[in-house]
């Protein structure tokens, strides 16, 4: 899987809405997950602290194409509208960064999309 971009982003969830945010992410719409896969979002994880700090991570062959692909879907438009109420502050866009360090300690597993929240 050479050539995948590793992308990390940070958002702030309103601390008073964390329980509902977790509940909704426990049941992500299947059609949304299908579109994430189809548009190149791989190995997607979300990490949420109790203070609302949300860190997202995913891999993609082409960030620009992945973002444009999702932006063109009706299910993404609906999902973003549903999730907008949970976030505080400016809403940014994921960008590839330069990793401080990265080591592959295990062979890569087959690609799959995961949406999970970890405290």
């Amino acid at each position: 899987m050479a050539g995948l971009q590793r992308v990390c982003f940070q958002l702030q969830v309103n601390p008073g809405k964390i329980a509902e945010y977790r509940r909704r992410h426990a049941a992500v719409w299947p059609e949304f997950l299908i579109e994430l896969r189809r548009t190149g979002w791989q190995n997607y994880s979300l990490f949420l602290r109790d203070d609302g700090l949300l860190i997202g991570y995913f891999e993609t062959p082409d960030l620009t194409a992945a973002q444009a692909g999702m932006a063109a879907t009706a299910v993404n438009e609906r999902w973003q509208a549903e999730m907008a109420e949970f976030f505080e502050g400016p809403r940014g866009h994921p960008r590839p960064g330069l990793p401080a360090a990265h080591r592959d300690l295990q062979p890569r597993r087959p690609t799959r999309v995961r949406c999970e929240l970890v405290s």
Side-chain angles (χ1 to χ4, degrees):
M1 291 194 184
L4 287 179
Q5 293 176 288
R6 294 186 310 264
V7 181
C8 184
F9 59 92
Q10 174 182 326
L11 295 169
Q12 182 65 40
V13 175
N14 178 323
K17 296 184 176 190
I18 289 174
E20 180 63 14
Y21 182 87
R22 288 181 188 278
R23 187 187 70 74
R24 294 212 196 160
H25 277 80
V28 176
W29 307 335
E31 62 271 29
F32 185 73
L33 297 175
I34 288 167
E35 289 300 322
L36 284 171
R37 279 187 214 96
R38 186 185 66 75
T39 58
W41 299 61
Q42 304 171 20
N43 197 26
Y44 195 168
S45 296
L46 298 172
F47 303 89
L48 180 61
R49 289 191 329 199
D50 290 339
D51 66 359
L53 177 67
L54 176 74
I55 302 295
Y57 172 86
F58 65 96
E59 298 168 347
T60 184
D62 182 337
L63 178 59
T64 301
Q67 288 177 313
M70 279 306 287
T73 66
V75 71
N76 183 63
E77 188 174 326
R78 288 191 340 263
W79 181 262
Q80 297 306 323
E82 290 276 327
M83 294 296 112
E85 70 179 89
F86 295 101
F87 298 103
E88 297 181 341
R91 301 281 309 273
H93 296 287
R95 295 185 186 107
L98 298 174
H102 175 74
R103 302 284 185 272
D104 283 326
L105 301 177
Q106 300 176 7
R108 290 198 180 266
R109 296 181 299 246
T111 300
R112 62 183 178 207
V113 173
R114 293 178 291 164
C115 286
E116 57 186 79
L117 297 172
V118 180
S119 295

